[in-house]
Protein backbone atom coordinates (compact mmCIF):
# COMPACT_ATOMS: atom_id res chain seq x y z
CA UNK A 1 0.00 0.00 0.00
CA UNK A 2 1.36 3.44 -0.85
CA UNK A 3 1.86 6.07 1.84
CA UNK A 4 -0.84 8.14 0.12
CA UNK A 5 -3.35 5.34 0.49
CA UNK A 6 -2.58 5.08 4.18
CA UNK A 7 -2.91 8.79 4.83
CA UNK A 8 -5.77 9.56 2.41
CA UNK A 9 -8.82 10.87 4.23
CA UNK A 10 -11.39 8.27 5.17
CA UNK A 11 -15.00 9.33 4.92
CA UNK A 12 -16.08 8.64 8.49
CA UNK A 13 -19.76 8.02 8.90
CA UNK A 14 -22.05 6.33 11.32
CA UNK A 15 -24.88 3.90 10.87
CA UNK A 16 -28.39 5.25 11.33
CA UNK A 17 -31.05 7.18 9.46
CA UNK A 18 -29.68 9.28 6.60
CA UNK A 19 -28.58 12.79 7.54
CA UNK A 20 -27.66 15.91 5.57
CA UNK A 21 -24.30 16.05 7.31
CA UNK A 22 -22.50 13.78 9.71
CA UNK A 23 -21.39 16.74 11.83
CA UNK A 24 -22.61 20.32 12.07
CA UNK A 25 -20.48 22.88 13.88
CA UNK A 26 -22.37 25.99 15.00
CA UNK A 27 -20.27 29.15 14.98
CA UNK A 28 -17.19 30.16 13.01
CA UNK A 29 -15.13 31.92 15.65
CA UNK A 30 -11.82 30.65 17.05
CA UNK A 31 -13.33 27.34 18.22
CA UNK A 32 -15.53 26.62 15.21
CA UNK A 33 -12.73 27.37 12.77
CA UNK A 34 -10.33 24.95 14.40
CA UNK A 35 -13.04 22.30 14.72
CA UNK A 36 -13.99 22.45 11.05
CA UNK A 37 -10.30 22.22 10.16
CA UNK A 38 -9.94 19.02 12.24
CA UNK A 39 -13.01 17.48 10.63
CA UNK A 40 -11.87 18.46 7.13
CA UNK A 41 -8.53 16.77 7.81
CA UNK A 42 -10.37 13.61 8.84
CA UNK A 43 -12.47 13.66 5.66
CA UNK A 44 -15.68 13.86 7.65
CA UNK A 45 -18.81 15.25 6.02
CA UNK A 46 -19.06 18.36 8.17
CA UNK A 47 -20.48 21.84 7.76
CA UNK A 48 -20.03 24.94 9.91
CA UNK A 49 -23.00 27.30 10.24
CA UNK A 50 -22.30 30.94 11.07
CA UNK A 51 -25.03 33.46 11.91
CA UNK A 52 -22.87 36.44 10.86
CA UNK A 53 -21.84 37.47 7.35
CA UNK A 54 -18.24 36.41 7.91
CA UNK A 55 -16.02 34.47 10.27
CA UNK A 56 -14.18 35.55 13.40
CA UNK A 57 -16.87 35.52 16.11
CA UNK A 58 -15.74 37.84 18.91
CA UNK A 59 -13.18 39.43 16.59
CA UNK A 60 -15.70 39.93 13.83
CA UNK A 61 -18.22 41.61 16.10
CA UNK A 62 -16.27 43.72 18.59
CA UNK A 63 -15.24 46.64 16.38
CA UNK A 64 -15.42 49.37 18.99
CA UNK A 65 -12.42 51.70 19.22
CA UNK A 66 -9.70 50.22 21.40
CA UNK A 67 -10.87 46.59 21.09
CA UNK A 68 -7.83 44.38 21.45
CA UNK A 69 -6.38 41.31 23.21
CA UNK A 70 -5.49 41.41 26.86
CA UNK A 71 -3.57 38.20 26.13
CA UNK A 72 -0.09 38.42 24.64
CA UNK A 73 -0.85 37.98 20.92
CA UNK A 74 1.55 35.06 20.46
CA UNK A 75 -0.09 33.14 23.30
CA UNK A 76 -3.55 33.67 21.80
CA UNK A 77 -2.96 32.47 18.23
CA UNK A 78 -3.55 28.89 17.13
CA UNK A 79 -0.77 26.53 18.14
CA UNK A 80 -1.52 23.60 15.84
CA UNK A 81 0.26 24.47 12.60
CA UNK A 82 4.00 25.04 12.51
CA UNK A 83 3.92 26.82 9.15
CA UNK A 84 1.25 29.22 10.41
CA UNK A 85 3.34 29.97 13.49
CA UNK A 86 6.40 30.55 11.32
CA UNK A 87 4.75 32.86 8.81
CA UNK A 88 2.56 35.10 10.99
CA UNK A 89 4.09 38.23 12.47
CA UNK A 90 2.05 39.67 15.33
CA UNK A 91 2.53 43.42 14.96
CA UNK A 92 1.57 44.35 18.51
CA UNK A 93 2.14 42.57 21.78
CA UNK A 94 -1.62 42.89 22.37
CA UNK A 95 -3.21 42.64 18.97
CA UNK A 96 -5.93 45.14 18.05
CA UNK A 97 -9.20 43.78 16.67
CA UNK A 98 -8.51 44.56 12.98
CA UNK A 99 -5.19 42.71 13.07
CA UNK A 100 -6.76 39.72 14.80
CA UNK A 101 -9.53 39.58 12.24
CA UNK A 102 -6.86 39.71 9.50
CA UNK A 103 -5.13 36.79 11.21
CA UNK A 104 -8.30 34.71 11.33
CA UNK A 105 -8.99 35.46 7.67
CA UNK A 106 -5.44 34.42 6.85
CA UNK A 107 -6.03 31.13 8.66
CA UNK A 108 -9.31 30.58 6.82
CA UNK A 109 -7.68 31.28 3.45
CA UNK A 110 -4.65 29.14 4.15
CA UNK A 111 -6.72 26.09 5.04
CA UNK A 112 -9.70 26.75 2.72
CA UNK A 113 -12.04 26.79 5.68
CA UNK A 114 -14.66 28.90 3.91
CA UNK A 115 -15.44 25.89 1.70
CA UNK A 116 -17.08 24.32 4.74
CA UNK A 117 -18.71 27.39 6.32
CA UNK A 118 -22.17 28.67 5.47
CA UNK A 119 -22.55 32.34 6.43
CA UNK A 120 -25.66 34.30 7.40
CA UNK A 121 -26.98 31.00 8.64
CA UNK A 122 -28.01 30.96 12.29
CA UNK A 123 -29.64 28.08 14.12
CA UNK A 124 -32.91 28.95 15.84
CA UNK A 125 -33.89 25.51 17.11
CA UNK A 126 -32.49 22.02 17.36
CA UNK A 127 -34.27 18.87 18.42
CA UNK A 128 -32.83 15.44 19.10
CA UNK A 129 -34.62 12.69 17.24
CA UNK A 130 -34.07 9.36 18.98
CA UNK A 131 -35.07 7.35 15.95
CA UNK A 132 -32.20 8.67 13.82
CA UNK A 133 -30.50 9.11 16.02
CA UNK A 134 -30.01 12.60 14.68
CA UNK A 135 -30.34 16.29 15.39
CA UNK A 136 -32.92 18.26 13.45
CA UNK A 137 -31.85 21.89 13.10
CA UNK A 138 -34.05 24.82 12.15
CA UNK A 139 -32.11 27.59 10.44
CA UNK A 140 -32.77 31.33 10.34
CA UNK A 141 -34.17 31.10 6.82
CA UNK A 142 -36.75 28.61 8.11
CA UNK A 143 -35.19 25.59 6.43
CA UNK A 144 -34.27 22.35 8.21
CA UNK A 145 -31.02 20.43 8.31
CA UNK A 146 -30.21 17.11 9.92
CA UNK A 147 -26.96 15.80 11.28
CA UNK A 148 -25.77 13.00 13.51
CA UNK A 149 -23.61 15.15 15.78
CA UNK A 150 -23.74 18.83 16.73
CA UNK A 151 -20.69 20.69 18.00
CA UNK A 152 -21.50 24.09 19.49
CA UNK A 153 -18.94 26.88 19.17
CA UNK A 154 -21.31 29.68 20.13
CA UNK A 155 -18.88 31.91 22.01
CA UNK A 156 -18.98 32.66 25.71
CA UNK A 157 -19.60 36.40 25.35
CA UNK A 158 -21.65 36.52 22.17
CA UNK A 159 -25.03 37.77 23.38
CA UNK A 160 -24.87 41.44 24.36
CA UNK A 161 -27.02 42.63 27.24
CA UNK A 162 -28.64 45.96 26.62
CA UNK A 163 -29.85 47.64 29.80
CA UNK A 164 -33.56 48.10 30.35
CA UNK A 165 -33.98 51.86 30.59
CA UNK A 166 -37.23 53.66 29.94
CA UNK A 167 -37.29 55.54 26.65
CA UNK A 168 -34.33 53.74 25.04
CA UNK A 169 -36.20 53.26 21.77
CA UNK A 170 -37.07 56.95 21.59
CA UNK A 171 -33.48 58.16 21.20
CA UNK A 172 -33.12 59.70 17.76
CA UNK A 173 -29.37 59.41 17.22
CA UNK A 174 -27.24 56.29 16.78
CA UNK A 175 -27.29 54.06 19.86
CA UNK A 176 -25.64 50.66 19.98
CA UNK A 177 -23.96 48.10 22.21
CA UNK A 178 -20.18 47.88 21.81
CA UNK A 179 -20.69 44.34 20.43
CA UNK A 180 -22.89 45.83 17.71
CA UNK A 181 -20.53 48.72 16.90
CA UNK A 182 -21.17 49.39 13.21
CA UNK A 183 -18.70 48.02 10.64
CA UNK A 184 -18.70 51.30 8.74
CA UNK A 185 -16.68 54.11 10.42
CA UNK A 186 -18.59 55.98 13.14
CA UNK A 187 -17.84 59.71 13.02
CA UNK A 188 -17.10 60.82 16.58
CA UNK A 189 -15.51 64.17 15.78
CA UNK A 190 -17.64 67.04 17.05
CA UNK A 191 -20.08 64.61 18.67
CA UNK A 192 -21.42 64.39 22.21
CA UNK A 193 -21.06 60.74 23.19
CA UNK A 194 -22.44 58.85 26.19
CA UNK A 195 -20.87 55.57 27.33
CA UNK A 196 -22.90 53.51 29.80
CA UNK A 197 -20.85 50.94 31.72
CA UNK A 198 -17.28 50.73 32.98
CA UNK A 199 -16.31 47.08 32.42
CA UNK A 200 -13.32 45.77 30.44
CA UNK A 201 -14.89 46.87 27.16
CA UNK A 202 -15.64 50.44 28.24
CA UNK A 203 -12.19 50.74 29.78
CA UNK A 204 -10.65 49.94 26.39
CA UNK A 205 -13.05 52.20 24.48
CA UNK A 206 -13.21 55.32 26.68
CA UNK A 207 -9.66 56.66 26.08
CA UNK A 208 -10.08 56.17 22.33
CA UNK A 209 -13.50 57.82 22.15
CA UNK A 210 -12.23 60.66 24.34
CA UNK A 211 -9.54 61.47 21.75
CA UNK A 212 -12.15 61.97 19.02
CA UNK A 213 -15.39 63.15 20.55
CA UNK A 214 -16.20 66.72 21.37
CA UNK A 215 -17.64 65.60 24.67
CA UNK A 216 -17.70 62.21 26.39
CA UNK A 217 -19.82 61.43 29.41
CA UNK A 218 -19.25 58.11 31.17
CA UNK A 219 -22.13 56.70 33.20
CA UNK A 220 -20.66 54.52 35.91
CA UNK A 221 -22.70 52.22 38.14
CA UNK A 222 -19.76 50.51 39.87
CA UNK A 223 -16.10 51.29 39.18
CA UNK A 224 -13.78 48.49 38.13
CA UNK A 225 -10.18 47.94 39.11
CA UNK A 226 -7.94 48.32 36.08
CA UNK A 227 -4.20 48.27 35.44
CA UNK A 228 -1.96 49.26 32.53
CA UNK A 229 -1.78 46.98 29.51
CA UNK A 230 1.70 48.27 28.60
CA UNK A 231 1.33 47.41 24.93
CA UNK A 232 4.10 47.76 22.37
CA UNK A 233 5.17 46.78 18.89
CA UNK A 234 6.87 43.44 18.26
CA UNK A 235 10.06 43.93 16.24
CA UNK A 236 11.30 41.46 13.62
CA UNK A 237 13.99 40.29 16.06
CA UNK A 238 11.48 39.76 18.88
CA UNK A 239 9.14 37.90 16.56
CA UNK A 240 12.02 35.67 15.41
CA UNK A 241 12.77 34.93 19.05
CA UNK A 242 9.09 34.19 19.76
CA UNK A 243 9.03 31.78 16.81
CA UNK A 244 12.09 29.99 18.16
CA UNK A 245 10.43 29.74 21.57
CA UNK A 246 6.89 28.80 20.51
CA UNK A 247 7.10 25.26 21.94
CA UNK A 248 8.38 26.62 25.22
CA UNK A 249 5.73 29.39 25.30
CA UNK A 250 2.83 27.00 24.75
CA UNK A 251 4.30 24.55 27.27
CA UNK A 252 4.42 27.37 29.83
CA UNK A 253 0.81 28.32 29.03
CA UNK A 254 -0.15 24.68 29.69
CA UNK A 255 1.57 24.78 33.08
CA UNK A 256 -0.14 27.91 34.41
CA UNK A 257 -3.58 28.14 35.97
CA UNK A 258 -4.96 30.66 33.49
CA UNK A 259 -3.18 29.56 30.33
CA UNK A 260 -0.82 32.51 30.09
CA UNK A 261 2.94 32.79 30.36
CA UNK A 262 2.38 34.67 33.62
CA UNK A 263 2.66 32.45 36.66
CA UNK A 264 1.93 33.22 40.30
CA UNK A 265 4.60 34.31 42.77
CA UNK A 266 4.75 31.43 45.21
CA UNK A 267 7.02 32.97 47.85
CA UNK A 268 3.99 33.51 50.06
CA UNK A 269 2.47 36.94 50.62
CA UNK A 270 3.14 36.94 54.35
CA UNK A 271 6.58 35.34 54.06
CA UNK A 272 8.12 38.36 52.39
CA UNK A 273 8.47 41.90 53.73
CA UNK A 274 6.18 44.73 52.71
CA UNK A 275 9.14 46.26 50.83
CA UNK A 276 9.53 43.07 48.82
CA UNK A 277 5.82 43.06 48.05
CA UNK A 278 6.00 46.68 46.89
CA UNK A 279 9.03 45.90 44.76
CA UNK A 280 7.11 43.10 43.02
CA UNK A 281 4.01 45.27 42.50
CA UNK A 282 6.01 48.20 41.10
CA UNK A 283 7.61 45.84 38.61
CA UNK A 284 4.31 44.20 37.63
CA UNK A 285 2.48 47.52 37.28
CA UNK A 286 5.04 48.58 34.68
CA UNK A 287 5.06 45.17 33.02
CA UNK A 288 2.84 43.85 30.25
CA UNK A 289 -0.62 42.38 30.38
CA UNK A 290 -2.11 40.29 33.14
CA UNK A 291 1.21 40.09 35.02
CA UNK A 292 -0.20 42.42 37.68
CA UNK A 293 -2.97 39.89 38.28
CA UNK A 294 -1.47 36.51 37.51
CA UNK A 295 2.17 36.96 38.54
CA UNK A 296 1.03 38.25 41.88
CA UNK A 297 0.92 36.33 45.15
CA UNK A 298 -1.69 33.56 45.17
CA UNK A 299 -3.05 34.97 48.43
CA UNK A 300 -4.52 37.88 46.44
CA UNK A 301 -7.21 35.46 45.27
CA UNK A 302 -7.77 33.69 48.56
CA UNK A 303 -7.02 35.88 51.55
CA UNK A 304 -9.08 39.03 52.20
CA UNK A 305 -6.31 40.81 54.13
CA UNK A 306 -3.73 40.17 51.40
CA UNK A 307 -6.20 41.29 48.79
CA UNK A 308 -7.01 44.46 50.74
CA UNK A 309 -3.35 45.46 51.03
CA UNK A 310 -2.78 44.99 47.32
CA UNK A 311 -6.02 46.77 46.41
CA UNK A 312 -4.84 49.77 48.42
CA UNK A 313 -1.61 49.75 46.42
CA UNK A 314 -3.61 49.94 43.16
CA UNK A 315 -5.91 52.60 44.64
CA UNK A 316 -2.85 54.76 45.30
CA UNK A 317 -1.75 54.30 41.71
CA UNK A 318 -5.17 55.55 40.56
CA UNK A 319 -4.90 58.53 42.92
CA UNK A 320 -1.52 59.37 41.36
CA UNK A 321 -2.97 59.28 37.86
CA UNK A 322 -6.25 61.17 38.26
CA UNK A 323 -5.74 64.88 38.97
CA UNK A 324 -9.06 65.55 40.69
CA UNK A 325 -8.95 63.72 44.05
CA UNK A 326 -12.75 63.55 44.36
CA UNK A 327 -12.99 62.00 40.91
CA UNK A 328 -10.14 59.59 41.72
CA UNK A 329 -12.10 58.25 44.70
CA UNK A 330 -15.15 57.69 42.49
CA UNK A 331 -13.00 55.57 40.15
CA UNK A 332 -11.71 53.36 42.97
CA UNK A 333 -13.91 50.34 43.72
CA UNK A 334 -15.01 50.12 47.33
CA UNK A 335 -17.25 47.04 47.07
CA UNK A 336 -14.70 44.46 45.92
CA UNK A 337 -10.95 43.93 45.89
CA UNK A 338 -8.56 43.93 42.96
CA UNK A 339 -8.67 40.81 40.82
CA UNK A 340 -11.90 39.46 42.23
CA UNK A 341 -13.64 40.39 39.01
CA UNK A 342 -11.92 39.91 35.67
CA UNK A 343 -9.32 42.72 35.56
CA UNK A 344 -9.67 45.16 32.69
CA UNK A 345 -6.37 46.27 31.21
CA UNK A 346 -6.09 49.84 30.02
CA UNK A 347 -4.08 52.36 28.09
CA UNK A 348 -4.50 55.87 29.54
CA UNK A 349 -7.94 55.06 30.97
CA UNK A 350 -7.44 57.06 34.14
CA UNK A 351 -5.73 59.92 32.26
CA UNK A 352 -8.83 60.20 30.05
CA UNK A 353 -10.63 61.66 33.08
CA UNK A 354 -8.05 64.47 33.24
CA UNK A 355 -9.27 65.74 29.87
CA UNK A 356 -11.60 68.74 29.69
CA UNK A 357 -13.99 66.92 27.35
CA UNK A 358 -14.57 63.89 29.65
CA UNK A 359 -17.06 63.78 32.54
CA UNK A 360 -17.99 60.97 34.90
CA UNK A 361 -21.55 60.56 36.10
CA UNK A 362 -21.72 58.44 39.24
CA UNK A 363 -25.00 56.58 38.94
CA UNK A 364 -25.03 55.79 42.65
CA UNK A 365 -25.48 59.54 43.24
CA UNK A 366 -27.58 60.46 40.23
CA UNK A 367 -29.25 57.40 38.68
CA UNK A 368 -30.55 57.42 35.12
CA UNK A 369 -34.28 58.15 35.04
CA UNK A 370 -34.82 57.67 31.34
CA UNK A 371 -33.48 58.10 27.86
CA UNK A 372 -35.12 60.88 25.89
CA UNK A 373 -35.18 61.48 22.12
CA UNK A 374 -32.16 63.77 22.49
CA UNK A 375 -30.23 62.58 25.50
CA UNK A 376 -30.14 60.96 28.94
CA UNK A 377 -31.98 62.20 31.98
CA UNK A 378 -30.59 61.47 35.44
CA UNK A 379 -31.96 62.68 38.76
CA UNK A 380 -29.67 65.71 38.28
CA UNK A 381 -31.21 66.72 34.95
CA UNK A 382 -31.00 66.00 31.23
CA UNK A 383 -27.79 65.86 29.20
CA UNK A 384 -27.95 66.07 25.39
CA UNK A 385 -26.15 63.45 23.27
CA UNK A 386 -25.54 62.63 19.62
CA UNK A 387 -24.49 58.99 20.20
CA UNK A 388 -25.16 56.52 23.03
CA UNK A 389 -22.83 53.56 23.50
CA UNK A 390 -23.97 50.68 25.70
CA UNK A 391 -20.88 48.98 27.14
CA UNK A 392 -23.13 46.95 29.38
CA UNK A 393 -21.70 43.45 29.03
CA UNK A 394 -23.00 40.06 28.04
CA UNK A 395 -25.38 37.28 28.86
CA UNK A 396 -22.31 35.16 29.46
CA UNK A 397 -21.83 31.46 28.70
CA UNK A 398 -25.43 30.29 28.64
CA UNK A 399 -26.96 33.24 26.76
CA UNK A 400 -26.11 31.89 23.31
CA UNK A 401 -27.59 28.49 24.23
CA UNK A 402 -30.74 30.12 25.59
CA UNK A 403 -31.24 31.85 22.24
CA UNK A 404 -31.54 28.46 20.48
CA UNK A 405 -34.59 26.37 21.29
CA UNK A 406 -32.68 23.18 22.17
CA UNK A 407 -34.71 20.05 22.88
CA UNK A 408 -32.87 16.92 23.95
CA UNK A 409 -33.93 13.33 24.46
CA UNK A 410 -37.35 12.90 26.06
CA UNK A 411 -38.41 16.38 25.02
CA UNK A 412 -36.38 18.14 27.70
CA UNK A 413 -35.42 21.76 26.97
CA UNK A 414 -31.84 22.80 27.68
CA UNK A 415 -33.17 26.19 28.74
CA UNK A 416 -35.20 24.49 31.49
CA UNK A 417 -32.38 22.23 32.58
CA UNK A 418 -30.16 25.31 32.93
CA UNK A 419 -32.78 27.60 34.50
CA UNK A 420 -30.76 27.84 37.72
CA UNK A 421 -27.40 27.76 35.95
CA UNK A 422 -25.44 25.50 33.63
CA UNK A 423 -25.23 21.78 34.34
CA UNK A 424 -22.57 19.97 32.32
CA UNK A 425 -20.09 17.15 32.29
CA UNK A 426 -16.62 18.73 31.96
CA UNK A 427 -18.15 21.76 30.26
CA UNK A 428 -18.29 19.58 27.15
CA UNK A 429 -21.40 17.39 27.39
CA UNK A 430 -24.89 17.68 28.86
CA UNK A 431 -26.76 14.62 30.08
CA UNK A 432 -29.99 14.14 28.14
CA UNK A 433 -28.60 15.99 25.14
CA UNK A 434 -26.94 13.14 23.24
CA UNK A 435 -24.50 13.66 20.37
CA UNK A 436 -23.96 17.30 21.33
CA UNK A 437 -20.50 18.55 22.32
CA UNK A 438 -19.85 22.09 23.52
CA UNK A 439 -16.48 23.45 22.43
CA UNK A 440 -16.65 26.71 24.30
CA UNK A 441 -19.42 26.05 26.71
CA UNK A 442 -20.00 26.90 30.34
CA UNK A 443 -17.92 25.16 33.01
CA UNK A 444 -14.77 24.76 30.95
CA UNK A 445 -11.57 26.09 32.51
CA UNK A 446 -11.33 29.88 32.83
CA UNK A 447 -8.23 30.56 30.73
CA UNK A 448 -6.62 32.50 27.99
CA UNK A 449 -9.43 31.38 25.73
CA UNK A 450 -7.72 29.60 22.81
CA UNK A 451 -5.58 27.62 25.22
CA UNK A 452 -8.78 25.93 26.45
CA UNK A 453 -10.49 25.83 23.05
CA UNK A 454 -7.82 23.79 21.34
CA UNK A 455 -7.89 20.93 23.88
CA UNK A 456 -11.71 21.05 23.82
CA UNK A 457 -11.74 20.67 20.04
CA UNK A 458 -9.17 17.88 20.20
CA UNK A 459 -11.18 16.11 22.90
CA UNK A 460 -14.40 16.46 20.91
CA UNK A 461 -12.72 15.13 17.80
CA UNK A 462 -11.32 12.17 19.76
CA UNK A 463 -14.79 11.45 21.15
CA UNK A 464 -16.25 11.41 17.64
CA UNK A 465 -13.46 9.17 16.40
CA UNK A 466 -13.97 6.83 19.33
CA UNK A 467 -17.69 6.69 18.58
CA UNK A 468 -17.08 5.87 14.94
CA UNK A 469 -14.27 3.41 15.67
CA UNK A 470 -16.41 1.45 18.12
CA UNK A 471 -19.32 1.27 15.67
CA UNK A 472 -21.66 3.49 17.68
CA UNK A 473 -23.83 6.39 16.58
CA UNK A 474 -25.01 7.77 19.90
CA UNK A 475 -23.34 8.97 23.06
CA UNK A 476 -24.63 10.66 26.16
CA UNK A 477 -23.13 11.42 29.52
CA UNK A 478 -24.54 9.81 32.62
CA UNK A 479 -26.26 12.00 35.14
CA UNK A 480 -24.07 10.90 38.06
CA UNK A 481 -20.85 11.86 36.27
CA UNK A 482 -22.45 15.16 35.37
CA UNK A 483 -23.51 15.88 38.94
CA UNK A 484 -20.01 15.10 40.22
CA UNK A 485 -18.61 17.65 37.79
CA UNK A 486 -21.15 20.32 38.74
CA UNK A 487 -20.32 19.73 42.42
CA UNK A 488 -16.62 20.12 41.64
CA UNK A 489 -17.25 23.37 39.78
CA UNK A 490 -19.41 24.71 42.62
CA UNK A 491 -16.72 23.74 45.16
CA UNK A 492 -14.24 25.86 43.18
CA UNK A 493 -16.48 28.91 43.61
CA UNK A 494 -16.51 28.41 47.37
CA UNK A 495 -12.70 28.41 47.55
CA UNK A 496 -11.85 31.64 45.75
CA UNK A 497 -12.84 35.22 46.57
CA UNK A 498 -14.03 35.68 42.98
CA UNK A 499 -16.73 33.09 43.58
CA UNK A 500 -18.75 35.82 45.28
CA UNK A 501 -18.06 38.58 42.75
CA UNK A 502 -20.74 40.53 40.98
CA UNK A 503 -19.50 39.68 37.51
CA UNK A 504 -20.31 37.65 34.44
CA UNK A 505 -18.22 34.82 35.95
CA UNK A 506 -21.01 34.41 38.50
CA UNK A 507 -23.72 35.31 36.00
CA UNK A 508 -24.74 38.25 38.12
CA UNK A 509 -26.14 40.28 35.23
CA UNK A 510 -28.00 37.42 33.56
CA UNK A 511 -31.20 38.47 35.31
CA UNK A 512 -31.54 40.66 32.22
CA UNK A 513 -32.18 37.40 30.39
CA UNK A 514 -34.86 36.30 32.77
CA UNK A 515 -32.73 34.35 35.23
CA UNK A 516 -33.12 34.90 38.94
CA UNK A 517 -31.26 38.00 40.15
CA UNK A 518 -28.34 37.49 42.49
CA UNK A 519 -28.30 33.69 42.20
CA UNK A 520 -24.77 32.47 41.48
CA UNK A 521 -24.43 30.67 38.18
CA UNK A 522 -21.40 28.38 38.10
CA UNK A 523 -20.25 29.53 34.70
CA UNK A 524 -16.60 28.46 34.76
CA UNK A 525 -14.37 25.82 36.24
CA UNK A 526 -12.16 27.64 38.75
CA UNK A 527 -9.72 24.81 39.48
CA UNK A 528 -7.12 25.98 36.97
CA UNK A 529 -6.32 24.87 33.45
CA UNK A 530 -3.73 22.16 34.30
CA UNK A 531 -6.18 20.35 36.58
CA UNK A 532 -8.94 20.72 33.99
CA UNK A 533 -6.74 19.42 31.17
CA UNK A 534 -5.58 16.49 33.30
CA UNK A 535 -9.20 15.64 34.05
CA UNK A 536 -10.39 15.61 30.44
CA UNK A 537 -7.28 13.66 29.44
CA UNK A 538 -7.91 11.01 32.09
CA UNK A 539 -11.57 10.70 31.04
CA UNK A 540 -10.38 10.11 27.50
CA UNK A 541 -7.68 7.64 28.58
CA UNK A 542 -10.37 5.66 30.39
CA UNK A 543 -12.24 5.25 27.09
CA UNK A 544 -14.42 8.29 27.87
CA UNK A 545 -15.52 7.40 31.36
CA UNK A 546 -18.85 8.94 32.27
CA UNK A 547 -19.99 8.69 28.64
CA UNK A 548 -22.38 5.96 27.50
CA UNK A 549 -22.24 4.79 23.89
CA UNK A 550 -25.07 3.17 21.98
CA UNK A 551 -26.33 2.45 18.51
P1 LIG B 1 -18.81 43.62 31.89
O1 LIG B 1 -17.47 43.36 32.43
O2 LIG B 1 -19.91 42.73 32.29
O3 LIG B 1 -19.16 45.13 32.23
C1 LIG B 1 -20.45 45.66 32.01
C2 LIG B 1 -20.50 47.05 32.55
O4 LIG B 1 -21.76 47.62 32.28
C3 LIG B 1 -20.30 47.11 34.05
O5 LIG B 1 -19.57 48.26 34.35
C4 LIG B 1 -21.74 47.21 34.56
O6 LIG B 1 -21.85 47.82 35.81
C5 LIG B 1 -22.33 48.10 33.49
N1 LIG B 1 -23.77 48.02 33.40
C6 LIG B 1 -24.53 46.95 33.09
N2 LIG B 1 -25.84 47.28 33.09
C7 LIG B 1 -25.89 48.58 33.43
C8 LIG B 1 -26.95 49.51 33.60
N3 LIG B 1 -28.21 49.14 33.45
N4 LIG B 1 -26.64 50.77 33.94
C9 LIG B 1 -25.38 51.14 34.12
N5 LIG B 1 -24.33 50.33 33.96
C10 LIG B 1 -24.59 49.06 33.62
O7 LIG B 1 -18.80 43.60 30.29
P2 LIG B 1 -17.64 44.06 29.31
O8 LIG B 1 -18.17 44.04 27.94
O9 LIG B 1 -17.01 45.31 29.78
O10 LIG B 1 -16.57 42.94 29.47
C11 LIG B 1 -16.92 41.59 29.23
C12 LIG B 1 -15.72 40.78 28.92
O11 LIG B 1 -15.44 40.93 27.53
C13 LIG B 1 -14.46 41.13 29.55
O12 LIG B 1 -14.29 40.68 30.81
C14 LIG B 1 -13.46 40.54 28.58
O13 LIG B 1 -13.21 39.19 28.87
C15 LIG B 1 -14.07 40.69 27.28
P3 LIG B 1 -21.82 46.91 37.15
O14 LIG B 1 -20.39 46.56 37.37
O15 LIG B 1 -22.66 45.70 36.85
O16 LIG B 1 -22.39 47.76 38.20
Amino acid sequence: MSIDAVTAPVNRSSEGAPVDHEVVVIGAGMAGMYQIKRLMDLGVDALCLERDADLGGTWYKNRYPGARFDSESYTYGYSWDRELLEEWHWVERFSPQPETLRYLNHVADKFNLRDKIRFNCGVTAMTFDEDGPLWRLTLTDGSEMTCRFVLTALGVLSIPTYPKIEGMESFQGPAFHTFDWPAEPVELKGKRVAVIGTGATAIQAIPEIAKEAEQLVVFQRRPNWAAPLNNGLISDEEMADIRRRYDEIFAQCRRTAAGFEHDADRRGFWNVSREERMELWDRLYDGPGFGIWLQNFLEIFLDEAANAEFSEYIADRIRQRVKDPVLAEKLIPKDHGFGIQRVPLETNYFEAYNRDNVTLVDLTETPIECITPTGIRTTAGEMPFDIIVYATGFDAFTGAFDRIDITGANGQKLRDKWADGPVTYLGLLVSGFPNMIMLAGPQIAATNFPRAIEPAVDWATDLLEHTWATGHNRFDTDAAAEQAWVDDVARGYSLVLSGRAQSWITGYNSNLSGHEYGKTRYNVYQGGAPRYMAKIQSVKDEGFSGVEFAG
Side-chain angles (χ1 to χ4, degrees), residues 58-59 62 64 68 70 156-157 161-165 177-179 196-204 219-224 290 335-336 341-344 363 368 390-394 502-505 508-509 512 517:
T58 290
W59 303 107
N62 283 285
Y64 62 85
R68 63 173 66 248
D70 285 337
V156 298
L157 297 167
T161 44
Y162 281 76
K164 291 180 176 160
I165 304 174
H177 194 282
T178 45
F179 188 75
I196 301 180
T198 48
T201 298
I203 285 173
Q204 287 189 334
F219 292 83
Q220 172 184 276
R221 192 163 65 182
R222 288 187 312 140
N224 244 296
F290 282 132
D335 69 331
H336 67 283
Q341 295 175 193
R342 191 275 204 201
V343 175
L363 295 177
I368 295 176
Y390 298 107
T392 44
F394 295 89
Q502 292 188 337
S503 98
W504 51 273
I505 301 288
Y508 125 96
N509 65 343
L512 287 172
Y517 185 81

Side-chain angles (χ1 to χ4, degrees), residues 123-127 401-407 413-415:
V123 176
T124 58
M126 49 188 257
T127 302
F401 289 88
D402 282 345
R403 299 308 185 282
I404 303 175
D405 186 12
I406 303 177
T407 310
K413 299 273 187 196
L414 186 65
R415 208 178 275 153

